[in-house]
Amino acid sequence: MTDAPRHEEWDSFSRDLARAWIDHRCLPVPAHGPTSIADAYQLQEAILTHLKEPIGAWKAGVDPEGAVWGSPLPCTALKTARSHWSTPARIVRGLEVELAFRLSPQVLEEEKLLPEETFFREGILEMACAIEVVSSRFLDWPHIPEFWKLADLQNHGALFLGESAPYDPDFPYLTPRVSLLVEGHEQAKFPASNPAGDPRALLQPFLRQCRDRGLPIEPHHWITTGSYSGVYFLKDSGHIQATLEGLAPLTVLLLSSP
């Protein structure tokens, strides 16, 4: 991964990944590819262009070094509670219980970063329990370069959103009570924690990144913010229920297709 790819190859990479997204296929990792967060973000945007889908939501988290990064999510990947999703059993399907937020219109229009305590008090409009499906369009995942993971929509498969609730600044963001039931069996880690600590701290830096990319977050967009439960890899079909500290529970059915 030392030689920069030619423009034609770059376009081919993103086109192939978009096709793999649609067909639920996995590809070999190319010999060279993104070597920076900016390269990976360019590939994300090219994938969405080839999918011909608007942005439906966002995924934010921390990289292995602790910096903020994320991805836009195609609108067809955004699901609601009590829905079902079917993919081939060969595809990676990791389940994570996460907290998703919708930002206030005022903070979306604000060009300067607010003091953190002001943002935590005024910058968030709604919150919801979410199930993030971790997946990949690459063979040998997760043993692939980190920037390819980021380029591949940050390992995204689908996002299930529960019923929204008004933002609560007193929610226990560091250690909420979390449950991830798979066919009635608890799979969440204990105690719950988020890689970012307080996931709200991701939101303003990520908002700034999106503005710098020319991809502003819209008032109707939700942002999911990393796993509280740890990841559970589903091998077959299953009924899944997620709960997160008093928010409305989220129930989905994940099916394995041939």
Side-chain angles (χ1 to χ4, degrees):
M1 297 184 59
T2 57
D3 296 325
R6 298 189 305 273
H7 175 76
E8 295 81 3
E9 292 177 312
W10 206 254
D11 185 66
S12 177
F13 292 164
S14 57
R15 190 182 302 275
D16 290 346
L17 283 169
R19 190 72 251 171
W21 170 280
I22 294 168
D23 295 340
H24 299 296
R25 291 187 298 109
C26 290
L27 308 172
V29 177
H32 52 76
T35 58
S36 68
I37 188 172
D39 289 346
Y41 279 174
Q42 286 181 4
L43 277 167
Q44 287 179 358
E45 293 163 30
I47 290 168
L48 262 69
T49 297
H50 290 306
L51 288 174
K52 299 180 180 179
E53 289 195 36
I55 296 169
W58 300 84
K59 177 175 179 175
V62 292
D63 71 10
E65 304 301 321
V68 176
W69 65 6
S71 175
L73 307 181
C75 64
T76 56
L78 187 61
K79 313 291 183 181
T80 58
R82 300 198 175 278
S83 58
H84 69 273
W85 187 57
S86 179
T87 58
R90 66 180 180 275
I91 296 297
V92 172
R93 294 178 299 169
L95 309 178
E96 298 178 336
V97 181
E98 303 192 356
L99 189 54
F101 298 98
R102 194 163 69 87
L103 302 184
S104 69
Q106 293 81 4
V107 79
L108 291 174
E109 294 171 1
E110 179 65 52
E111 294 191 4
K112 295 181 180 179
L113 294 180
L114 298 174
E116 188 171 83
E117 63 179 36
T118 302
F119 176 78
F120 284 1
R121 187 175 62 250
E122 303 174 2
I124 305 171
L125 191 64
E126 291 183 305
M127 53 199 290
C129 178
I131 296 175
E132 158 79 10
V133 181
V134 175
S135 194
S136 178
R137 270 53 64 183
F138 286 119
L139 299 169
D140 299 323
W141 185 94
H143 306 295
I144 65 173
E146 292 296 326
F147 287 128
W148 268 126
K149 295 178 185 178
L150 181 60
D152 185 28
L153 305 185
Q154 203 183 3
N155 307 312
H156 183 64
L159 179 65
F160 293 87
L161 275 176
E163 181 181 339
S164 64
Y167 168 64
D168 179 5
D170 297 320
F171 184 89
Y173 291 99
L174 295 180
T175 56
R177 290 178 289 114
V178 176
S179 176
L180 174 61
L181 295 177
V182 180
E183 291 295 316
H185 299 286
E186 183 62 68
Q187 302 295 345
K189 70 178 183 181
F190 180 84
S193 62
N194 186 290
D198 187 335
R200 295 176 299 174
L202 299 169
L203 296 172
Q204 278 208 105
F206 186 62
L207 175 60
R208 171 63 60 85
Q209 283 188 10
C210 293
R211 284 177 178 156
D212 291 345
R213 296 169 69 180
L215 294 176
I217 295 173
E218 300 290 343
H220 64 280
H221 285 163
W222 285 84
I223 309 168
T224 192
T225 54
S227 177
Y228 276 111
S229 63
V231 60
Y232 173 79
F233 291 98
L234 185 69
K235 301 299 183 183
D236 300 304
S237 299
H239 286 87
I240 317 298
Q241 185 177 68
T243 56
L244 185 56
E245 189 70 38
L247 295 172
L250 174 57
T251 301
V252 302
L253 174 62
L254 299 184
L255 301 173
S256 295
S257 59

